[in-house]
Amino acid sequence: MISPPHSTSTAAPPQRRTLAAELPGLTGRQVTLQGWLHRTRSLKAVDFLILRDRSGLAQIVVTEQAVRALAARLPAESVLEVTGLATASRQAPGGVELTSPQLTVVSTPQAAPPFDLFRPAVPAGLPTILDHAPATLRHPRLRAPHAIAAASVAGFRATLDALSFTEIHTPKVVGSATESGANVFTLDWFGTPAYLAQSPQFFKQAMVGVFERVYETGPVFRAEPHDTARHLAQYTSLDAELGFVADHRDVMRLVREVLAGMTAAVRERAGEACAVLEVELPTVPDSIPEIHFAEAQELLAAHTDEDPRGEPDLAPAHERWLSEWALHEYGSELLFVTGYPMAKRPFYTHPDPEHPVWSRSFDLLFRGLELITGGQRLHRYEDYLRALAARGESPEPYGGYLAAFRHGMPPHGGFALGLERWTARLTGADNVRLATLFPRDLHRLTP
Amino acid sequence: MISPPHSTSTAAPPQRRTLAAELPGLTGRQVTLQGWLHRTRSLKAVDFLILRDRSGLAQIVVTEQAVRALAARLPAESVLEVTGLATASRQAPGGVELTSPQLTVVSTPQAAPPFDLFRPAVPAGLPTILDHAPATLRHPRLRAPHAIAAASVAGFRATLDALSFTEIHTPKVVGSATESGANVFTLDWFGTPAYLAQSPQFFKQAMVGVFERVYETGPVFRAEPHDTARHLAQYTSLDAELGFVADHRDVMRLVREVLAGMTAAVRERAGEACAVLEVELPTVPDSIPEIHFAEAQELLAAHTDEDPRGEPDLAPAHERWLSEWALHEYGSELLFVTGYPMAKRPFYTHPDPEHPVWSRSFDLLFRGLELITGGQRLHRYEDYLRALAARGESPEPYGGYLAAFRHGMPPHGGFALGLERWTARLTGADNVRLATLFPRDLHRLTP
């Protein structure tokens, strides 16, 4: 028989922990910090330890010989508890440092990070950074994008919550490779083949029939066979869909609100991270400038060496040129390109009724790159059947999804934003992997 | 050459839409509603149409013959735009109805829902409900759990945001089937085998080294071969992890805060859904009662027909009995069971240093069912090597994850809560699938 252990609930409560950022208000008080040894600087009569915690950095001044002897043996990234006196100091970060410290080693590293985490620059290439992510992400510059990403998602949700959207959670495994057929991952689902979802497109549309306005923030998967700086095999898609729109412009107005909310949230919640990376947040105009796809092609033909007229899509170089143009023309880092040719948009896209070769869709360009894709969708069952037939596709594999449109759906539309791409653009990262915690791609499945 | 279409930006702005819930403040005004035809009741001289939108229901009174003739032909779930006069009426829901209406049919259903959506009860079994989810989820009783789920996640995040947690997004595809080996889905990853992640466990632990406090709300996957009322192959896991804990009790205190925040958010944001389902929200006590696993076994041996002492885990019947006991003993619908035997917990579990056969882990029981699992984790690299060796496992497949612990990790712990299970318990659903938008299981991959 196993007997119960003694109760340990009478143990003394632990010393209350102070965060580095709280120090300035505590001058003259005895406090206890906990964190990682970020850096050690040894002078003749004194050691300066820099402790890093989730709130920032704190300077600890060690003069007592016994403590100096201990400090000298501590490798960077040692986890420490430090009790000492909060003391005003002009030289210390925040104007306060810890003096007369007692050090307790909580945990000792077994290996050094691949590079010093305290130096402002990151002296390593992408593979080293990614291979050692649990250590390298501790560098303030490499951590910062993820604080900005978290704030961005919070702003996305807050904006939509205020507009009475409902958050949904939809399947990431689907029975048929619906959206494009290409670039899907195949899965063994209890013995039958299944596929990782490339987007929550059909689910969010179906849910317009239930909640009118829905959003999801979750992973999507593309078996992207190309190794580029802007493609990932898994990324975080911020999706929204709303019913009772007049046309795609209602969706574009929503996009504006969401981008304003995300930008404000980054400013409020990730100011420190923005400062570390010298992020310049975009100004989101009351009305984001827009240009029709056909007009964009006219501009490109008139002002560049190329003549893209007749092409069904914009090349990356065209997107960069148009972004530059919008910046000069309107002073805006954001530009909607509307009306993409139906031929290049998915079958659920709503055509422009007056000019059915064009669509009621849009891309949003941000600093030279497509950030958001959206538009109005078809909402009548018979229109779906017609659209699939026109593309030579059978409605059969879409049966489960098309069912929603048999039950009465309002005009609706939505958009999707790639979180990592947004964060990379904001932070000036030259590779989207620097805005992804543990990227997955053609060559990378660990860590 | 393709010429640009005419601009349509000079079109008249559409009539502003009024929501059903806004009607009571608009008596005497001409308004336009948009929504679904929820129900039609025809009397001799008048038809009553009930329109459903995201905010609720509105009654429309039709007396004019031409409009009655149109209304008589409208099937349920027709999407309508209705302009009329908001008129005070004692009989109408909210005390206001729409009179002298003009009806516009926006979209006509091609098929009827499998059952009437306006009747209070749902006269169908689970397969019918799930097979026709895009239609059946429109029933107020079937929609309500998902409004409660959305509010719950918002409360989870708000609580943790206020405690300076950072949201993370981690890979759902991993290179080795780490956590248990059993019940994993296998994937073809560009020609090599990979696995769907069963939890973000290792990633959230690694991120404690970066942000100290992290959470994730995302899908996890279990190739659950059993067809039960409480298991899903994909569910939404609400995960949190925090550093610098004294022991598992710090995690339990966090669980209390989170549950209080989730309950408050459901009350504030999903009151209507709670009313529809007559949900009784639990009272979250300042301190949730707890019992050690060994004491729980003593109780069960003394008061039930079974003697579970020596067993390494609690059976579902035991969990139900303990929940009842906590309700009688403490008046609490929540009960922590702590100290589960190390033998039954994952290798990363922190043992109780004084009694290493027991662990610093816990389950939270809620209304008879395990809702949350959590505890303190190992934080020293050498402890991980020892723990794996003791289980006869090689550290090799864990290399990428164990790396985090080579770089100095603080004592930490965390927990995971299954969103669908929480929602099912709250709403009294007898099957977790009723709290899942589009469930995935052994037999179900659509819609």
Side-chain angles (χ1 to χ4, degrees):
Chain A
M1 203 198 95
I2 303 168
S3 55
H6 304 294
S7 166
T8 56
S9 63
T10 52
Q15 173 91 29
R16 192 191 159 282
R17 178 188 181 193
T18 295
L19 293 174
E22 296 169 339
L23 274 186
L26 296 171
T27 313
R29 299 265 291 276
Q30 194 79 0
V31 301
T32 297
L33 300 174
Q34 294 176 322
W36 287 264
L37 182 58
H38 192 58
R39 182 177 192 181
T40 305
R41 278 194 309 138
S42 292
L43 304 183
K44 195 159 183 187
V46 61
D47 293 321
F48 294 100
L49 309 186
I50 306 294
L51 197 75
R52 186 186 75 241
D53 67 19
R54 70 175 186 271
S55 75
L57 303 174
Q59 178 163 290
I60 296 149
V61 184
V62 188
T63 52
E64 196 191 322
Q65 275 315 318
V67 184
R68 290 194 75 185
L70 170 60
R73 290 195 308 271
L74 293 176
E77 295 307 300
S78 294
V79 180
L80 302 179
E81 180 169 300
V82 188
T83 299
L85 189 67
T87 306
S89 158
R90 283 204 190 161
Q91 283 78 34
V96 179
E97 62 193 10
L98 220 63
T99 56
S100 310
Q102 295 299 315
L103 301 187
T104 307
V105 178
V106 176
S107 170
T108 304
Q110 304 295 305
F115 49 82
D116 289 333
L117 298 181
F118 66 83
R119 293 188 200 282
V122 174
L126 193 61
T128 299
I129 291 171
L130 300 182
D131 287 344
H132 303 277
T136 59
L137 286 170
R138 298 179 183 187
H139 190 289
R141 284 191 72 85
L142 298 176
R143 179 181 56 192
H146 308 291
I148 289 170
S152 301
V153 183
F156 177 86
R157 293 195 194 101
T159 305
L160 295 172
D161 285 346
L163 294 168
S164 66
F165 279 69
T166 300
E167 183 176 9
I168 57 174
H169 303 275
T170 69
K172 303 309 160 199
V173 181
V174 291
S176 47
T178 42
E179 234 204 296
S180 80
N183 297 357
V184 294
F185 287 108
T186 307
L187 193 72
D188 173 17
W189 186 265
F190 301 110
T192 51
Y195 309 92
L196 288 187
Q198 293 180 297
S199 86
Q201 181 64 32
F202 297 107
F203 298 113
K204 67 177 180 169
Q205 287 187 257
M207 290 307 292
V208 165
V210 179
F211 283 118
E212 283 190 30
R213 301 178 163 199
V214 295
Y215 68 84
E216 180 162 21
T217 59
V220 298
F221 305 90
R222 308 278 166 107
E224 185 61 55
H226 306 295
D227 207 3
T228 80
R230 62 176 181 157
H231 287 102
L232 296 164
Q234 175 189 323
Y235 68 89
T236 304
S237 185
L238 310 188
D239 270 275
E241 197 80 13
L242 79 164
F244 297 102
V245 300
D247 58 27
H248 56 305
R249 282 206 165 67
D250 280 341
V251 183
M252 290 158 65
R253 275 184 277 273
L254 178 65
V255 164
R256 196 220 85 91
E257 294 307 305
V258 164
L259 289 175
M262 291 173 70
T263 305
V266 170
R267 187 177 288 114
E268 285 159 27
R269 299 169 64 131
E272 183 90 19
C274 289
V276 166
L277 296 176
E278 295 172 26
V279 167
E280 293 212 27
L281 291 170
T283 301
V284 181
D286 287 346
S287 175
I288 294 174
E290 60 178 276
I291 185 171
H292 192 278
F293 182 85
E295 294 175 77
Q297 287 193 322
E298 296 287 343
L299 270 184
L300 288 160
H303 297 285
T304 73
D305 293 343
E306 293 178 74
D307 187 349
R309 289 173 297 183
E311 295 290 330
D313 206 352
L314 296 175
H318 299 154
E319 294 177 348
R320 286 193 294 274
W321 189 91
L322 288 167
S323 266
E324 284 294 315
W325 171 80
L327 193 58
H328 286 114
E329 193 77 6
Y330 299 107
S332 172
E333 294 188 291
L334 300 159
L335 174 69
F336 279 121
V337 181
T338 64
Y340 282 78
M342 281 297 288
K344 273 302 273 192
R345 301 301 262 204
F347 70 89
Y348 50 75
T349 307
H350 199 294
D352 181 339
E354 293 180 39
H355 309 270
V357 66
W358 307 114
S359 67
R360 282 184 170 175
S361 73
F362 61 84
D363 277 6
L364 179 83
L365 308 184
F366 173 44
R367 294 182 182 168
L369 203 65
E370 171 223 316
L371 173 68
I372 290 177
T373 295
Q376 186 182 351
R377 332 295 190 179
L378 300 175
H379 61 280
R380 291 191 186 89
Y381 183 64
E382 56 272 27
D383 289 343
Y384 275 92
L385 297 185
R386 244 191 307 267
L388 285 169
R391 291 177 188 233
E393 285 208 64
S394 157
E396 205 278 324
Y398 303 94
Y401 307 112
L402 296 187
F405 303 100
R406 304 184 69 202
H407 294 289
M409 282 286 277
H412 64 282
F415 69 90
L417 182 161
L419 174 62
E420 294 82 356
R421 197 177 271 198
W422 156 259
T423 308
R425 283 286 96 174
L426 271 192
T427 58
D430 57 5
N431 193 307
V432 70
R433 288 162 185 76
L434 288 170
T436 312
L437 277 183
F438 299 93
R440 292 291 181 259
D441 62 31
L442 183 57
H443 302 298
R444 185 168 289 279
L445 200 47
T446 57
Chain B
M1 204 197 94
I2 303 169
S3 56
H6 304 294
S7 168
T8 54
S9 61
T10 53
Q15 172 92 26
R16 193 194 159 278
R17 176 188 182 193
T18 296
L19 294 174
E22 295 169 340
L23 275 187
L26 297 171
T27 313
R29 299 264 291 276
Q30 194 78 359
V31 301
T32 297
L33 301 174
Q34 294 175 324
W36 287 264
L37 181 59
H38 192 57
R39 181 178 192 181
T40 305
R41 278 195 307 141
S42 291
L43 304 184
K44 193 159 185 189
V46 60
D47 293 322
F48 294 101
L49 308 185
I50 306 295
L51 198 75
R52 187 187 72 240
D53 68 18
R54 70 174 186 272
S55 75
L57 304 174
Q59 177 163 290
I60 296 149
V61 184
V62 188
T63 51
E64 198 190 320
Q65 275 314 320
V67 184
R68 289 194 76 185
L70 170 60
R73 290 195 308 273
L74 293 176
E77 296 306 300
S78 294
V79 180
L80 304 179
E81 181 168 299
V82 188
T83 300
L85 188 66
T87 307
S89 158
R90 284 202 193 163
Q91 283 77 35
V96 180
E97 62 193 9
L98 220 62
T99 57
S100 309
Q102 294 300 315
L103 302 187
T104 307
V105 179
V106 176
S107 171
T108 304
Q110 302 297 305
F115 49 82
D116 288 334
L117 298 181
F118 65 83
R119 294 188 200 281
V122 175
L126 194 61
T128 299
I129 292 171
L130 300 181
D131 286 346
H132 303 277
T136 59
L137 287 169
R138 298 178 183 187
H139 190 289
R141 286 191 70 85
L142 298 175
R143 179 181 58 193
H146 308 290
I148 290 170
S152 301
V153 183
F156 177 86
R157 295 196 193 100
T159 305
L160 294 172
D161 285 348
L163 294 168
S164 67
F165 279 69
T166 299
E167 184 176 9
I168 58 173
H169 303 276
T170 69
K172 303 308 160 200
V173 181
V174 292
S176 47
T178 41
E179 234 204 295
S180 80
N183 296 358
V184 295
F185 287 108
T186 307
L187 193 74
D188 172 17
W189 188 264
F190 302 109
T192 52
Y195 309 92
L196 287 187
Q198 294 179 295
S199 86
Q201 181 64 33
F202 297 107
F203 298 113
K204 66 177 182 168
Q205 287 189 257
M207 291 307 293
V208 165
V210 178
F211 284 118
E212 284 189 29
R213 299 177 165 200
V214 295
Y215 69 84
E216 180 163 20
T217 59
V220 298
F221 305 89
R222 308 278 166 106
E224 185 60 55
H226 305 296
D227 207 4
T228 79
R230 63 177 181 156
H231 287 101
L232 296 164
Q234 175 189 322
Y235 67 90
T236 304
S237 185
L238 310 188
D239 270 274
E241 197 80 13
L242 79 164
F244 297 103
V245 299
D247 57 28
H248 56 306
R249 284 208 163 64
D250 281 341
V251 184
M252 290 157 64
R253 275 184 278 271
L254 178 66
V255 164
R256 196 220 84 90
E257 294 307 306
V258 164
L259 288 174
M262 290 173 71
T263 305
V266 170
R267 186 176 291 115
E268 285 160 27
R269 300 168 65 130
E272 184 88 19
C274 288
V276 166
L277 296 175
E278 295 172 25
V279 166
E280 292 210 30
L281 292 170
T283 301
V284 181
D286 288 346
S287 176
I288 295 174
E290 59 178 276
I291 185 172
H292 192 279
F293 181 84
E295 293 174 79
Q297 287 193 322
E298 295 287 344
L299 271 183
L300 288 160
H303 297 284
T304 74
D305 292 342
E306 293 178 75
D307 187 350
R309 289 173 295 183
E311 296 291 329
D313 206 352
L314 295 175
H318 298 154
E319 294 177 348
R320 286 194 294 275
W321 190 92
L322 288 166
S323 266
E324 284 294 314
W325 172 80
L327 193 58
H328 286 114
E329 193 77 6
Y330 299 108
S332 172
E333 296 189 289
L334 300 159
L335 174 69
F336 280 121
V337 180
T338 64
Y340 282 76
M342 284 296 289
K344 274 300 273 191
R345 302 301 262 203
F347 70 89
Y348 50 74
T349 307
H350 200 294
D352 180 340
E354 293 179 39
H355 309 271
V357 67
W358 306 114
S359 67
R360 283 184 170 175
S361 74
F362 61 84
D363 277 6
L364 180 83
L365 307 185
F366 172 43
R367 296 183 181 168
L369 203 65
E370 171 222 316
L371 173 68
I372 291 177
T373 295
Q376 185 182 352
R377 331 296 190 179
L378 299 174
H379 61 279
R380 292 191 185 89
Y381 183 63
E382 56 272 26
D383 289 341
Y384 274 92
L385 297 186
R386 245 192 306 267
L388 286 168
R391 292 177 188 234
E393 286 208 62
S394 156
E396 207 276 323
Y398 303 95
Y401 307 112
L402 296 186
F405 303 100
R406 303 183 70 199
H407 293 291
M409 282 286 278
H412 64 283
F415 69 90
L417 181 161
L419 174 62
E420 294 83 356
R421 197 177 271 200
W422 156 259
T423 307
R425 283 285 97 176
L426 271 192
T427 59
D430 56 4
N431 193 307
V432 72
R433 287 161 186 77
L434 288 170
T436 311
L437 277 183
F438 299 94
R440 291 292 182 259
D441 61 32
L442 182 56
H443 302 297
R444 186 168 288 279
L445 200 48
T446 56

